[in-house]
Amino acid sequence: MAELKTRLQNDLTVAMKARETVTAGALRMALTAVTNEEVSGKQARELSDDEVVKVLSREAKKRKEAAEAFDGAGRTEKAELERQELAVLEVYLPKQLDDAELASIVDKAFDAVAAQLGEAPGQKQMGQVMKAVNAEVAGRAEGGRVAAAVKAKLAG
């Protein structure tokens, strides 16, 4: 079993015993999402830690979007609950890259693709640069941030 999934299950047990309802609820939803991912497709399988992190990232993104939606609708108590659940999930996610670290990774990928092509990549080669950056970033930055950084580098 994936080490991260085991940690989630153990932390859920601790949260339930301590009667921490927000933490327990967030961990239950996270474990449900992991289980759903394991049984989706033609054959059930065991997820690796990297795959569990991807599922947790998706769940964290959902919490962030839900909090924004509740804020927009004036439901501050619901928005705060979503933010608390997001904080619980962020404990299990890798540390997010800051803008300088992301820019450095984009620069390296840009230079690598430029070396392959023999010229500076343009908008048509954005996919190649994105592929190189995403391999390096590996869940430490949201896709939208990565795409914006790559577009800015290609344009500039």
Side-chain angles (χ1 to χ4, degrees), residues 52-68:
V52 173
V53 167
K54 286 180 185 173
V55 172
L56 292 178
S57 295
R58 269 197 318 260
E59 291 299 307
K61 184 177 179 185
K62 287 179 189 176
R63 300 293 170 281
K64 198 177 298 182
E65 290 170 353
E68 290 169 7

Side-chain angles (χ1 to χ4, degrees), residues 26-40:
L27 293 177
R28 263 194 206 102
M29 284 188 272
L31 283 167
T32 299
V34 169
T35 303
N36 288 341
E37 186 73 21
E38 286 178 334
V39 298
S40 67

